[in-house]
Amino acid sequence: MSKSRRDRQFRPVAVPDVDVAGFFGKWQDAVCDSTAETLLDRCVEAGMVQAINVDQPSPGVVIPILEWGGSTQMFWDSDLGKSIETIAYSLYRKPNPRLEERADAIIDLYEKLQDQDGYVNAWFQRVQQGRRWTNLRDHHELYCAGHLMEAAVAYFQATGKRKLLDIMCRYADYMIRVFGHGPGQIPGYDGHEEIELALVKLGRVTGETKYLDLSKFFVDERGTEPHFFTDEAERDGRDPKSYIQKTYEYGQAHLPVREQKKVVGHAVRAMYLYSGMADIATEYRDDSLTEALDDLWDDVVTKQMYVTGGIGPAASNEGFTDYYDLPNDTAYAETCASVGLVFWANRMLGRGPNRRYADVMEQALYNGALPGLSIDGKTFFYDNPLESTGKHHRWKWHHCPCCPPNIARLVTSIGSYMYAVADDEIAVHLYGESTVRTKLACGAKVTLRQESGYPWDGAVALTASLTAPVRFALSLRIPEWAVGATLSVNGQILDLSGIVSDGYARIDREWTDGDRVALYLPLSLRPQYANPKVRHDAGRVALMRGPLVYCVEETDNGGDLNAIVMPKSLPQADIAVLRDLNGAVALDITVEREETSAWGVALYRTTPPERTVTKVRLVPYHLWDNRSPGSMLVWLQAEK
Amino acid sequence: MSKSRRDRQFRPVAVPDVDVAGFFGKWQDAVCDSTAETLLDRCVEAGMVQAINVDQPSPGVVIPILEWGGSTQMFWDSDLGKSIETIAYSLYRKPNPRLEERADAIIDLYEKLQDQDGYVNAWFQRVQQGRRWTNLRDHHELYCAGHLMEAAVAYFQATGKRKLLDIMCRYADYMIRVFGHGPGQIPGYDGHEEIELALVKLGRVTGETKYLDLSKFFVDERGTEPHFFTDEAERDGRDPKSYIQKTYEYGQAHLPVREQKKVVGHAVRAMYLYSGMADIATEYRDDSLTEALDDLWDDVVTKQMYVTGGIGPAASNEGFTDYYDLPNDTAYAETCASVGLVFWANRMLGRGPNRRYADVMEQALYNGALPGLSIDGKTFFYDNPLESTGKHHRWKWHHCPCCPPNIARLVTSIGSYMYAVADDEIAVHLYGESTVRTKLACGAKVTLRQESGYPWDGAVALTASLTAPVRFALSLRIPEWAVGATLSVNGQILDLSGIVSDGYARIDREWTDGDRVALYLPLSLRPQYANPKVRHDAGRVALMRGPLVYCVEETDNGGDLNAIVMPKSLPQADIAVLRDLNGAVALDITVEREETSAWGVALYRTTPPERTVTKVRLVPYHLWDNRSPGSMLVWLQAEK
């Protein structure tokens, strides 16, 4: 890749600059109609709103303090933050005065809560007043602040109301005074990353580089020696060696970030850190960060990622384990972790379009993150196994309610992941029915209308609306799987080989109002085999169509799904459109199936099961457990 | 099966009546030379001996009291009991005055500890004096007593010393007064079964039917309504609903035993109960128990047993879960549970030889129990997965040290599992170099010398030594897998079809001194396929030779064992004898193997891995992790 390309800076468009319809429009409607209000209701029920209301007595310790020295109640600000962020996006799509009033009231409470010096935190102002900034390693203090900052930016962009933005700017200004290497300052960073990416959002929306500088400080300090967490523990009278997570890898603080090569520890923390690093790499054109990020990217996508884009197989550390350790039935693969992978991938596009990142962004979005939400927006997956015996179902809520608002805010802000803009270039990273309005550096306003039934259909049409002809590059992702893709401008076929770079077709021309680009991405069914080092997928095959991983469910196919055997050469699939799954495309294929009924009663015998030819129905993995509950399987036995 | 056959009563021969050599002789030597003393050392180190020494202060609560209201320290008597039992058997094989002295000293301490009324228990006499008989559900009181009884019987048989036997008879006599439906008596039974089978041993060795009657009382009472555990909890001021194990299925007390059809709960408890039930069925010729046991037997062997004879897949309840739930890498399959399955299977032979039980006894013995001990007798497996990524190794000890003495006492008493005797019949259940001395009801003394390299070699020769000709039946198990077995007496081939019943060749004739029986059991390699309802084994095959399950280990075959693909038709195996594994037979076979090095870096791709033809070495599963540590696999990919 040429240096010059990397010197461009792509930033996502603001959420209100994209109108989303089609596939993601329905998901956004579900959040607007159900999830957004549900999130707030649950926060109120949990006591989170009382917790920030200085006119009411402090609720005290509602959730007990655990072995690690804290309580998940310490994260309440983050839950409120992510809920307000979701509400903000939903208000843009569907005005809802009652919901807006409720959000405004919470913001008023935060205004009253805010300390004279700018500090805002429900736990350390109302429960453990003396403990401010005493344990950054464990207490999630800056993490909470980060989520409130993201909420502030979203609420400002959606409603034009500045109050929360002003609160969080005051808080960030206070942080600038508190953190640093000067006398009396704290030379530290948070155990749970998040503030880094949030400060970049704050910097971008306010135009204040001081917030970017603070983010860069947190990124640069992380993992350096002498180790801040060790010094901090000693100052606080705690034994640094008795750290419950045992290793600073848990929070990616084991090495300076530029020296990190292996993706380790808590998966969400890792994704948030790398997201912040990528933002800083873009804003500061920092090649040293970009190189470290490329190593980390390779590490996760070639050794530690489920075919769904799920990451972090283990519940014990909510994170990464050994290379190629990808158990299917016990996969943790937290919804939040795939949401985080989407965040990171999106930010890796800051220095130029590249399908190496965007293909995985799409894969994790559709198959790792989206399963976290039911189609009615009312129930939530926390962990996302690739095989279920029928006991895994979405929750109404979760004792650690991080995932519901995380997937909800991603879905409602999806427009800003679809399009990104540099000075003279518009990149289309994701396809789907939508309209984007943006302005180029030259001042020209561009509106692009994208018409597509994607991901069910591979035809995409883009029409430009312009007040006057203008030259810019339009970069369109050609996914690696889209073998045989075609592209035309105003009916004229383009030779992709001449214009595709890093997997994007770059059409650099003078555009005129009404210009129409037609892209066709063949969505043929394709098998996915895992590297033979992944023992859990040995002898098995998964099926994808376009960006979607498919699975078999008991409701369509009966039980004993492991008795299904995919023929060596992939059979032709018949398409069925399922109305009860929002018009999803199901695939009916002819396979072999081991006979469970003819086997008899023995548990073991010397001859293999007999097989008969039969049909099975595959449905998109992200839609599983939306109908009759039952078993589910992604990796099917493959005939050898 | 004719009623008359079931009316016979087979009882195992006493351990000192069998001299064992060959395969099990080496294992017994390892226990005599290492394990027996190690067990005692560990008991001393843990404080168990101090705990029963009334001349020393009580150690108090050494192991903290846990959520269930007790401490594993409550089981210390059982650890001492099983250790003394192991020592007893080892003393018979190899006199060891120092070890015998140490055992005698412990027995002296128990004599001093015993209460005036006969009660003996380290915890309730020395730590929680007021809590005797207050919580049979959780406190393992009768369980501890049972293990001390088994020790007493073994020590008496091995050394002729009666002291411990007398102590335990006094304790049992006291129990007879305490338990029952009379006024002031306790109408209950223990949460952890064991006393039932122990009392039968005590009854058999003393000839006292009162001990059998008490055992029958415990069996008959179990699970009846009104429920004893519920009443007991209420009397003790505990809420019966707050039972930490949630269901009385945990201790098989959810239904009267004759109504139980499904094997549930804690695996060791289940096995010990069924063992006791089978003993009572034999002693009382109780068909109602035998029928219930047959249902339970079918349940476990057709739906809940690993190919290794391992049982109880889950760590959470140390026991059974759902039908066909047999995960390989996370298999709990506790050593003690397979030891217990051997106990149960052996006792199912009490009403007549039947390979339906004896084949499983052998399978669980070699593949489920024996892996629990290293070949040097110094380290121990607690759980026995069928797949390891290289992190599973034998312990020097375990925080709950039940398995080491359990496998040690089984190995050293194996002679009594090989041979059983009814009035006019000798059954040979297991093969292996040994000599048994027994007496028939008619008074005739019979010595049988069995010469065999079994399980490495399938040739078995039995020679009778008699002082005078005598008529009796000799029943020899023909394992179901031994297709093509042949049998001759004094060189004359017998037609098996005429004399085999329930899988045993019954030779009923007048025997003369020097008569020689030759049995040949072909040990060809055979594949094992699992019922397709076992999702974990789908598309996979395990290999057995004779009674032994084989596996592949990294030390012989390199890593990525899941890349090995067994051809559809089983290849010829070359035999290699491994000196470093006690002369074990290894099998070298030609297979295909997926190329991990040629795959490249991608995690997923659209074409399956390429395969090359190569050789792999299989070794007996029970011997894995006795050489260089590494990964291991039983169920290999099978070509379809």
Side-chain angles (χ1 to χ4, degrees):
Chain A
M1 191 190 308
S2 67
K3 178 83 179 161
S4 65
R5 290 181 59 90
R6 284 221 149 170
D7 281 347
R8 287 176 300 160
Q9 292 168 304
F10 281 83
R11 298 187 180 91
V13 297
V15 174
D17 293 341
V18 190
D19 297 334
V20 175
F23 178 87
F24 273 107
K26 288 179 193 167
W27 284 100
Q28 293 194 341
D29 285 340
V31 175
C32 292
D33 297 341
S34 289
T35 323
E37 186 126 24
T38 296
L39 295 176
L40 208 47
D41 289 346
R42 297 286 176 279
C43 289
V44 171
E45 285 161 23
M48 296 181 191
V49 177
Q50 187 202 330
I52 59 169
N53 187 342
V54 294
D55 295 329
Q56 286 187 14
S58 163
V61 181
V62 176
I63 302 174
I65 291 177
L66 301 172
E67 211 183 336
W68 52 275
S71 154
T72 56
Q73 189 181 338
M74 286 178 168
F75 323 156
W76 277 4
D77 288 325
S78 75
D79 298 321
L80 279 172
K82 283 190 282 186
S83 300
I84 292 170
E85 186 183 348
T86 303
I87 289 166
Y89 302 140
S90 82
L91 290 178
Y92 171 72
R93 182 177 183 82
K94 286 203 181 179
N96 183 335
R98 202 171 61 96
L99 196 57
E100 186 166 344
E101 223 168 79
R102 292 179 68 186
D104 285 340
I106 290 169
I107 292 166
D108 289 344
L109 293 177
Y110 270 117
E111 188 181 38
K112 280 195 185 172
L113 178 67
Q114 185 163 40
D115 201 279
Q116 291 267 335
D117 57 17
Y119 185 81
V120 189
N121 183 294
W123 178 272
F124 293 101
Q125 291 181 276
R126 303 256 292 157
V127 182
Q128 291 192 322
Q129 286 88 343
R131 299 285 291 152
R132 186 193 295 191
W133 305 140
T134 54
N135 184 352
L136 292 177
R137 189 190 69 187
D138 299 328
H139 283 174
H140 296 62
E141 225 163 337
L142 291 168
Y143 166 83
C144 284
H147 278 301
L148 287 171
M149 281 178 198
E150 288 199 83
V153 171
Y155 207 73
F156 167 68
Q157 289 181 324
T159 65
K161 294 179 183 170
R162 290 195 60 97
K163 188 180 277 183
L164 188 56
L165 190 65
D166 291 338
I167 294 169
M168 296 315 294
C169 285
R170 284 197 295 272
Y171 192 1
D173 292 338
Y174 163 70
M175 285 178 200
I176 290 169
R177 298 193 300 275
V178 168
F179 290 93
H181 285 291
Q185 285 186 309
I186 302 172
Y189 45 86
D190 203 83
H192 195 316
E193 305 91 329
E194 154 65 20
I195 188 70
E196 298 82 357
L197 70 89
L199 283 165
V200 172
K201 280 193 177 180
L202 198 65
R204 284 175 176 170
V205 82
T206 59
E208 294 278 6
T209 53
K210 62 183 177 182
Y211 301 137
L212 304 181
D213 290 345
L214 181 59
S215 170
K216 186 169 186 303
F217 171 82
F218 288 136
V219 166
D220 290 345
E221 288 301 310
R222 194 165 205 88
T224 57
E225 294 290 344
H227 206 285
F228 170 70
F229 289 162
T230 302
D231 293 349
E232 176 195 60
E234 280 164 0
R235 271 196 307 277
D236 195 35
R238 290 176 279 114
D239 178 5
K241 293 206 183 72
S242 72
Y243 181 34
I244 193 164
Q245 305 297 350
K246 295 195 176 70
T247 159
Y248 292 151
E249 286 190 355
Y250 179 71
Q252 300 77 42
H254 56 300
L255 282 173
V257 297
R258 287 171 185 80
E259 293 170 30
Q260 297 191 22
K261 305 272 181 208
K262 189 176 174 199
V263 172
V264 293
H266 187 275
V268 175
R269 294 178 193 230
M271 295 304 109
Y272 286 11
L273 168 64
Y274 309 148
S275 296
M277 286 165 64
D279 277 339
I280 294 299
T282 298
E283 292 300 336
Y284 292 83
R285 296 188 170 92
D286 185 335
D287 290 334
S288 67
L289 277 177
T290 302
E291 276 161 32
L293 286 165
D294 276 338
D295 285 343
L296 292 165
W297 183 265
D298 277 351
D299 190 76
V300 77
V301 301
T302 66
K303 299 186 192 76
Q304 306 203 67
M305 188 181 77
Y306 287 98
V307 72
T308 54
I311 49 173
S316 56
N317 66 341
E318 300 191 300
F320 297 98
T321 55
D322 298 324
Y323 285 160
Y324 306 107
D325 179 36
L326 297 166
N328 292 304
D329 52 354
T330 61
Y332 196 64
E334 190 184 330
T335 298
C336 280
S338 285
V339 169
L341 180 54
V342 172
F343 291 171
W344 180 25
N346 183 244
R347 286 158 171 89
M348 291 298 279
L349 300 166
R351 304 199 75 191
N354 192 329
R355 76 175 177 201
R356 184 176 165 217
Y357 314 118
D359 281 3
V360 169
M361 175 169 78
E362 185 179 52
Q363 188 176 3
L365 168 65
Y366 281 103
N367 309 293
L370 207 46
L373 194 62
S374 63
I375 52 173
D376 62 6
K378 290 179 178 168
T379 55
F380 312 94
F381 273 144
Y382 195 90
D383 46 328
N384 293 282
L386 284 77
E387 174 173 12
S388 167
T389 57
K391 292 179 180 172
H392 190 72
H393 305 296
R394 291 186 181 80
W395 300 63
K396 282 205 186 298
W397 199 241
H398 197 276
H399 63 93
C400 179
C402 53
C403 295
N406 232 353
I407 178 60
R409 70 187 178 125
L410 175 60
V411 160
T412 41
S413 63
I414 199 66
S416 70
Y417 297 82
M418 298 175 77
Y419 301 98
V421 180
D423 288 350
D424 55 354
E425 183 165 348
I426 300 172
V428 184
H429 299 312
L430 299 174
Y431 298 106
E433 187 81 12
S434 55
T435 302
V436 60
R437 293 168 296 275
T438 190
K439 214 166 91 173
L440 300 172
C442 63
K445 288 185 179 174
V446 180
T447 298
L448 279 178
R449 169 154 166 65
Q450 185 185 165
E451 294 163 280
S452 179
Y454 194 88
W456 308 127
D457 185 277
V460 175
L462 290 147
T463 312
S465 297
L466 300 165
T467 48
V470 61
R471 185 178 184 99
F472 66 89
L474 179 67
S475 281
L476 303 173
R477 180 173 63 100
I478 313 295
E480 195 183 359
W481 49 259
V483 178
T486 59
L487 181 63
S488 67
V489 176
N490 298 327
Q492 195 140 18
I493 299 278
L494 302 184
D495 175 11
L496 283 175
S497 67
I499 56 169
V500 170
S501 168
D502 295 328
Y504 277 70
R506 190 167 193 263
I507 315 172
D508 190 354
R509 70 195 293 271
E510 191 179 75
W511 298 88
T512 309
D513 186 52
D515 276 353
R516 188 175 163 86
V517 176
L519 174 67
Y520 179 68
L521 304 171
L523 297 181
S524 51
L525 189 65
R526 67 183 188 284
Q528 292 282 285
Y529 297 91
N531 187 317
K533 287 181 172 295
V534 183
R535 65 191 176 93
H536 317 84
D537 302 334
R540 292 181 176 260
V541 63
L543 294 177
M544 292 187 76
R545 179 179 182 267
L548 302 179
V549 172
Y550 275 71
C551 69
V552 284
E553 280 196 273
E554 185 169 350
T555 184
D556 297 311
N557 304 296
D560 297 322
L561 298 170
N562 275 290
I564 296 168
V565 181
M566 284 296 300
K568 204 178 285 191
S569 63
L570 201 62
Q572 195 63 37
D574 294 327
I575 280 179
V577 175
L578 303 184
R579 292 194 178 280
D580 56 350
L581 289 179
N582 277 352
V585 167
L587 304 168
D588 295 332
I589 57 172
T590 302
V591 298
E592 297 201 348
R593 195 154 177 169
E594 294 168 353
E595 288 209 37
T596 49
S597 52
W599 172 276
V601 297
L603 196 43
Y604 306 103
R605 73 180 196 197
T606 56
T607 52
E610 274 152 42
R611 300 208 297 267
T612 50
V613 172
T614 184
K615 282 228 160 196
V616 292
R617 169 161 288 181
L618 294 148
V619 295
Y621 171 73
H622 74 270
L623 292 172
W624 89 274
D625 198 42
N626 270 294
R627 297 173 296 163
S628 305
S631 56
M632 179 277 299
L633 186 63
V634 168
W635 286 97
L636 304 172
Q637 278 201 65
E639 191 183 39
K640 279 179 267 288
Chain B
M1 189 190 307
S2 66
K3 178 84 181 161
S4 66
R5 290 181 61 90
R6 285 220 150 171
D7 282 347
R8 287 176 301 161
Q9 293 168 305
F10 282 84
R11 298 186 182 90
V13 298
V15 175
D17 293 342
V18 189
D19 297 334
V20 175
F23 178 87
F24 274 107
K26 289 180 191 166
W27 284 101
Q28 293 193 342
D29 285 341
V31 175
C32 292
D33 297 342
S34 290
T35 324
E37 187 126 21
T38 297
L39 294 177
L40 208 47
D41 289 345
R42 297 288 177 276
C43 288
V44 171
E45 285 161 24
M48 296 181 192
V49 177
Q50 187 202 329
I52 58 169
N53 187 342
V54 294
D55 295 328
Q56 286 187 14
S58 163
V61 180
V62 176
I63 302 174
I65 290 177
L66 302 172
E67 212 182 333
W68 53 274
S71 154
T72 56
Q73 189 180 338
M74 286 177 168
F75 325 154
W76 277 3
D77 288 324
S78 76
D79 297 320
L80 279 172
K82 283 189 283 186
S83 300
I84 293 170
E85 186 183 347
T86 302
I87 289 165
Y89 302 140
S90 83
L91 290 178
Y92 171 73
R93 181 175 184 84
K94 286 202 180 178
N96 183 335
R98 201 171 62 95
L99 196 56
E100 186 166 344
E101 222 168 80
R102 292 179 69 187
D104 285 340
I106 290 169
I107 291 165
D108 289 343
L109 292 177
Y110 271 117
E111 188 180 38
K112 280 194 184 172
L113 178 66
Q114 186 163 40
D115 200 280
Q116 291 267 335
D117 58 18
Y119 185 81
V120 189
N121 183 295
W123 179 272
F124 293 101
Q125 290 182 277
R126 302 257 292 158
V127 183
Q128 290 191 321
Q129 286 88 344
R131 298 285 291 151
R132 186 193 295 192
W133 305 140
T134 54
N135 183 352
L136 292 177
R137 189 191 68 188
D138 298 328
H139 283 173
H140 296 63
E141 226 163 336
L142 291 168
Y143 166 83
C144 284
H147 278 301
L148 286 171
M149 281 177 196
E150 288 199 83
V153 171
Y155 207 73
F156 167 68
Q157 289 182 324
T159 65
K161 294 178 183 171
R162 291 196 57 98
K163 186 179 280 183
L164 189 55
L165 190 66
D166 291 337
I167 293 169
M168 296 317 293
C169 285
R170 284 196 295 274
Y171 192 179
D173 292 338
Y174 163 69
M175 285 179 201
I176 290 169
R177 298 193 300 276
V178 167
F179 290 93
H181 285 290
Q185 285 186 309
I186 301 171
Y189 44 88
D190 203 83
H192 196 316
E193 304 91 329
E194 154 66 19
I195 189 70
E196 298 82 357
L197 71 88
L199 283 165
V200 172
K201 281 193 176 180
L202 199 65
R204 284 175 175 170
V205 83
T206 60
E208 294 279 6
T209 53
K210 61 183 176 182
Y211 300 137
L212 304 181
D213 290 344
L214 180 59
S215 170
K216 186 170 187 302
F217 171 81
F218 288 136
V219 166
D220 290 344
E221 287 302 310
R222 195 165 205 89
T224 56
E225 294 289 345
H227 204 284
F228 170 71
F229 289 162
T230 302
D231 293 349
E232 176 194 62
E234 280 162 0
R235 270 196 307 277
D236 196 35
R238 289 176 281 115
D239 177 5
K241 294 206 182 72
S242 71
Y243 181 36
I244 192 164
Q245 306 296 350
K246 295 194 178 70
T247 160
Y248 292 151
E249 286 190 354
Y250 179 70
Q252 300 77 41
H254 56 300
L255 282 173
V257 298
R258 288 171 184 79
E259 294 170 29
Q260 296 190 23
K261 305 271 180 206
K262 189 177 175 200
V263 172
V264 293
H266 187 275
V268 175
R269 295 179 193 227
M271 295 304 109
Y272 286 11
L273 168 63
Y274 309 148
S275 296
M277 285 166 65
D279 278 340
I280 294 299
T282 299
E283 292 301 334
Y284 292 83
R285 295 188 171 93
D286 185 333
D287 291 333
S288 67
L289 277 177
T290 302
E291 276 160 32
L293 287 164
D294 276 338
D295 285 342
L296 292 165
W297 184 265
D298 277 351
D299 190 76
V300 77
V301 301
T302 66
K303 299 186 192 76
Q304 306 203 67
M305 188 181 77
Y306 287 97
V307 72
T308 55
I311 49 171
S316 56
N317 66 341
E318 299 192 301
F320 297 98
T321 55
D322 298 324
Y323 285 160
Y324 306 109
D325 179 36
L326 297 166
N328 292 305
D329 52 353
T330 62
Y332 197 65
E334 189 184 329
T335 299
C336 280
S338 285
V339 169
L341 179 55
V342 172
F343 290 172
W344 180 25
N346 184 245
R347 285 158 171 89
M348 291 298 280
L349 300 166
R351 303 199 75 190
N354 191 330
R355 76 175 176 201
R356 184 176 164 218
Y357 314 118
D359 280 4
V360 169
M361 175 170 80
E362 185 179 53
Q363 187 176 2
L365 168 65
Y366 281 103
N367 309 292
L370 207 46
L373 194 63
S374 63
I375 53 174
D376 62 7
K378 289 179 178 168
T379 55
F380 312 94
F381 273 144
Y382 196 90
D383 45 328
N384 293 282
L386 283 77
E387 174 174 12
S388 167
T389 57
K391 293 178 179 171
H392 190 74
H393 306 295
R394 290 185 182 79
W395 300 62
K396 283 205 184 299
W397 200 240
H398 198 277
H399 62 93
C400 178
C402 54
C403 295
N406 232 352
I407 178 60
R409 70 187 178 126
L410 175 61
V411 160
T412 42
S413 63
I414 198 66
S416 70
Y417 297 82
M418 297 175 77
Y419 302 97
V421 181
D423 287 350
D424 56 354
E425 183 166 347
I426 300 173
V428 185
H429 298 311
L430 298 174
Y431 299 106
E433 188 82 13
S434 54
T435 302
V436 60
R437 293 168 296 274
T438 191
K439 215 167 89 173
L440 300 172
C442 63
K445 287 185 178 173
V446 180
T447 298
L448 280 179
R449 170 155 166 64
Q450 184 185 165
E451 293 164 279
S452 179
Y454 195 88
W456 309 126
D457 186 277
V460 174
L462 290 147
T463 311
S465 299
L466 301 165
T467 49
V470 60
R471 183 177 186 102
F472 65 90
L474 179 66
S475 280
L476 304 172
R477 180 173 62 100
I478 313 295
E480 193 183 359
W481 48 259
V483 179
T486 59
L487 181 64
S488 67
V489 176
N490 298 328
Q492 195 140 18
I493 300 278
L494 301 185
D495 176 11
L496 284 175
S497 66
I499 56 168
V500 170
S501 168
D502 295 327
Y504 277 71
R506 191 166 193 262
I507 315 172
D508 189 355
R509 69 197 292 272
E510 191 177 75
W511 297 89
T512 310
D513 187 51
D515 276 352
R516 189 176 163 86
V517 175
L519 173 67
Y520 180 68
L521 304 172
L523 297 181
S524 51
L525 189 64
R526 68 184 187 282
Q528 291 282 285
Y529 297 91
N531 187 317
K533 287 181 172 295
V534 183
R535 63 190 177 93
H536 318 83
D537 302 334
R540 292 180 176 263
V541 63
L543 295 176
M544 292 187 74
R545 180 179 182 267
L548 302 179
V549 172
Y550 275 72
C551 68
V552 285
E553 280 196 273
E554 184 169 350
T555 184
D556 297 311
N557 303 296
D560 298 321
L561 298 170
N562 275 289
I564 296 168
V565 181
M566 285 295 300
K568 204 179 284 191
S569 63
L570 202 63
Q572 195 61 36
D574 294 327
I575 280 179
V577 174
L578 303 184
R579 292 196 177 279
D580 56 350
L581 289 178
N582 275 353
V585 167
L587 304 169
D588 295 332
I589 57 172
T590 302
V591 297
E592 296 201 349
R593 194 154 179 169
E594 294 167 353
E595 288 208 38
T596 49
S597 52
W599 171 276
V601 296
L603 197 42
Y604 306 103
R605 72 179 196 198
T606 55
T607 53
E610 273 152 43
R611 302 207 296 267
T612 50
V613 172
T614 185
K615 282 228 160 197
V616 293
R617 169 161 288 182
L618 295 149
V619 296
Y621 170 74
H622 74 270
L623 292 171
W624 89 275
D625 197 43
N626 271 295
R627 297 172 296 162
S628 304
S631 55
M632 178 279 297
L633 185 63
V634 169
W635 286 98
L636 305 172
Q637 277 201 66
E639 191 183 40
K640 279 180 268 287

